[in-house]
């Protein structure tokens, strides 16, 4: 292990070894520590921290596999190039989330949502919320580092401001996508409630039609003496006519009520 490893405080080493350590910037007399945690979007969302030690003359990238530092050869340019490549990859991969949300929105407009809509919605909501949190900390940390180094003559402030702008832009995009997901959920809920209301309405109409008929059938099915139409040979015909009359009256009342609504 090199001299830089011995220079770094043990507490800072523990922070650098932590793959999930939040973004942080800590200035010291002999060196500064910059940790940026960024989302990594593949099949599953992960977050990973990358750590730098910045001295008065150089910068070092922490290698977790070797538990050692790699000398980068420049104080600010090399960290910028590494972070710039990571942030560009993040921006490209985040576009995949935006495409998924656009597809969900289009399916809702066409009323062709799948049964897995809520499962997909929950996964996207969870992942993008994690992206938003990680970018919020990363952007704040980057801004803190820029303010600390901005008076240094060798600090390429425009480069780092550009990195900060990319983080902020992706953060705003994540916030926007979360808002769109909330809108899609409300839209989906409205569609689901509309279908449920239509189903209940249909069942109510069917019940309204068959309830009087069941009443007639139940009345003439009683095993009592003196029952109407029980004395002649055309009792069944008379009951059928009565049921048809009740059915016509019921349907007429339902249609009248529907027109009034």
């Amino acid at each position: 292990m090199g001299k830089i490893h011995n220079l770094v405080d043990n507490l800072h080493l523990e922070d650098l070894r932590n793959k999930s350590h939040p973004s942080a910037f800590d200035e010291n007399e002999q060196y500064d520590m910059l940790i940026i945690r960024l989302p990594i979007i593949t099949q599953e969302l992960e977050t990973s921290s990358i750590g730098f030690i910045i001295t008065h003359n150089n910068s070092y990238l922490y290698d977790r596999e070797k538990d050692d530092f790699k000398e980068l050869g420049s104080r600010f340019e090399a960290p910028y190039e590494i972070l710039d490549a990571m942030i560009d990859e993040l921006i490209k991969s985040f576009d995949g989330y935006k495409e998924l949300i656009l597809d969900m929105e289009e399916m809702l407009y066409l009323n062709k949502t799948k049964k897995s809509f809520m499962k997909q919605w929950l996964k996207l909501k969870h992942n993008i919320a994690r992206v938003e949190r990680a970018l919020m900390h990363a952007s704040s940390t980057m801004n803190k580092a820029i303010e600390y180094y901005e008076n240094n003559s060798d600090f390429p402030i425009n480069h780092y401001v550009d990195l900060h702008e990319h983080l902020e832009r992706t953060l705003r995009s994540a916030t926007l996508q979360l808002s769109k997901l909330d809108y899609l959920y409300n839209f989906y809920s409205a569609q689901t409630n509309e279908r449920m209301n239509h189903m209940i309405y249909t069942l109510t109409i069917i019940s309204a039609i068959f309830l009087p008929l069941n009443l007639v059938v139940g009345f003439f099915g009683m095993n009592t003496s003196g029952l109407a139409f029980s004395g002649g040979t055309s009792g069944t015909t008379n009951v059928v006519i009565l049921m048809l009359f009740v059915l016509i009256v019921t349907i007429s009342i339902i249609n009248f009520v529907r027109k009034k609504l």
Side-chain angles (χ1 to χ4, degrees):
M1 296 186 181
K3 293 182 180 180
I4 187 66
H5 198 285
N6 299 326
L7 180 66
V8 178
D9 186 89
N10 287 331
L11 293 176
H12 287 158
L13 285 174
E14 289 299 319
D15 293 341
L16 292 166
R17 289 177 180 134
N18 183 0
K19 185 180 179 181
S20 300
H21 193 280
S23 299
F25 178 69
D26 189 13
E27 60 270 15
N28 300 273
E29 290 185 5
Q30 294 180 301
Y31 66 88
D32 303 322
M33 181 184 71
L34 175 64
I35 297 177
I36 297 293
R37 184 174 70 168
L38 293 173
I40 300 174
I41 304 173
T42 53
Q43 293 295 329
E44 296 294 333
L45 175 67
E46 299 178 357
T47 57
S48 181
S49 298
I50 182 169
F52 301 94
I53 293 296
I54 302 172
T55 64
H56 298 294
N57 302 310
N58 209 335
S59 61
Y60 301 83
L61 172 66
Y62 179 71
D63 188 338
R64 288 192 183 87
E65 293 183 0
K66 298 179 180 179
D67 190 25
D68 204 355
F69 292 90
K70 176 183 177 182
E71 185 175 347
L72 297 178
S74 63
R75 193 180 181 198
F76 298 116
E77 286 294 342
Y80 160 76
E81 292 172 359
I82 293 172
L83 290 172
D84 185 51
M86 293 181 64
I87 294 172
D88 282 347
E89 184 61 30
L90 169 63
I91 293 173
K92 292 176 184 176
S93 57
F94 189 78
D95 286 340
Y97 282 156
K98 293 192 285 188
E99 290 296 328
L100 284 174
I101 293 174
L102 284 174
D103 290 342
M104 293 172 65
E105 185 177 18
E106 188 66 22
M107 296 300 286
L108 275 173
Y109 287 144
L110 297 175
N111 200 19
K112 295 182 179 179
T113 52
K114 299 178 181 179
K115 293 182 179 179
S116 60
F117 175 88
M118 281 307 302
K119 183 178 180 181
Q120 185 180 22
W121 183 89
L122 283 170
K123 184 177 181 179
L124 281 170
K125 181 79 172 179
H126 180 230
N127 287 349
I128 295 178
R130 289 175 61 196
V131 169
E132 184 187 42
R133 287 195 299 269
L135 291 178
M136 194 177 298
H137 289 297
S139 177
S140 175
T141 300
M142 183 65 67
N143 187 59
K144 184 178 179 181
I146 291 172
E147 290 179 350
Y148 181 76
Y149 289 122
E150 62 181 348
N151 294 325
N152 289 36
S153 59
D154 60 337
F155 180 63
I157 187 169
N158 290 335
H159 289 355
Y160 280 82
V161 167
D162 185 60
L163 289 182
H164 183 258
E165 193 276 330
H166 287 173
L167 289 172
E168 280 289 309
R169 190 197 321 160
T170 311
L171 174 60
R172 290 193 299 269
S173 180
T175 303
L176 175 61
Q177 299 311 311
L178 287 175
S179 298
K180 289 187 70 173
L181 282 172
D182 290 338
Y183 157 73
L184 292 181
Y185 176 78
N186 292 334
F187 192 1
Y188 177 76
S189 297
Q191 283 189 340
T192 303
N193 291 336
E194 181 65 24
R195 286 194 292 266
M196 185 66 67
N197 291 338
H198 182 72
M199 186 181 300
I200 293 174
Y201 176 76
T202 302
L203 292 174
T204 302
I205 294 296
I206 294 174
S207 299
I209 291 174
F210 282 95
L211 187 61
L213 299 181
N214 289 334
L215 179 63
V216 172
V217 171
F219 178 79
F220 286 101
M222 293 187 299
N223 190 18
T224 57
S225 59
L227 193 64
F229 306 136
S230 61
T233 58
S234 58
T236 300
T237 303
N238 293 332
V239 171
V240 170
I241 293 173
L242 177 61
M243 291 177 64
L244 289 175
F245 174 75
V246 171
L247 179 62
I248 292 171
V249 171
T250 302
I251 293 175
S252 300
I253 293 174
I254 291 173
N255 286 330
F256 176 79
V257 172
R258 288 178 63 184
K259 290 179 180 179
K260 289 293 184 179
L261 295 177

